[in-house]
Amino acid sequence: MTPGTGSALGLLAAAVDAKAVAEIGTGCGVSGIHLLHGMRPDGVLTTVDPEPEHQQFARQAFRAAGFASNRARFIPGRALDVLPRLADSGYDLVFCDGDRLEYLDYLAESLRLLRPGGLVAFEGVFGAGRTIDSGPQPTEVLRLRELLRAVRESQELVPSLLPVGDGLLCAAKR
């Protein structure tokens, strides 16, 4: 994650006065730290990742960044298995940085999870520049294009594509 993307995530969390954020793809905790910095002091980050060692590393990173252990809830598992168990309209922001092939499915779950006025953000939508390349593309890029189209055409969303990192697609739920 680039510093610009991290900064944008913190800004988005602050802009919606986020108390509850869902993160798909814990990674090493960098995005989570940025989200936590932007969230309210009583906010809780729920982070989902299929790799328990990623979550353990992130837990240590959050602690080293000065966040209390009750500021993050770690749920191991595949996002599409975990997300249906999370509360409808219970989240202010959903950040998606998981399997690019599942982004369209994450969008559907995010719409259910978000309160009106909440934000969804997708990392890496430029596909290293391949989403605008006219040549033959791998399935991942085709799925990213489908996501971009679905968000742009949705009557439920107000979208913006931020040119930070490898592209951050953001949308507010009406």
Side-chain angles (χ1 to χ4, degrees), residues 4 35 41-42 46-47 79 90 104 113 122 124 128 131 138:
L35 289 165
D42 61 340
T46 298
T47 184
L104 266 176
L113 294 172
F122 294 88
T131 53

Side-chain angles (χ1 to χ4, degrees), residues 1-22:
M1 167 162 303
T2 67
T5 302
S7 180
L9 287 177
L11 171 70
L12 293 173
V16 295
D17 195 28
K19 184 173 181 177
V21 173

Side-chain angles (χ1 to χ4, degrees), residues 23 26-34 36-37 45 47 53-69 71-72 74:
E23 175 185 46
T26 307
C28 61
V30 173
S31 56
I33 289 171
H34 286 286
L36 284 163
H37 276 297
L45 173 68
T47 184
E53 59 272 10
H54 289 179
Q55 293 192 321
Q56 188 55 41
F57 192 78
R59 184 174 279 128
Q60 293 168 357
F62 293 173
R63 190 170 33 253
F67 294 105
S69 61
R71 293 289 312 277
F74 295 88

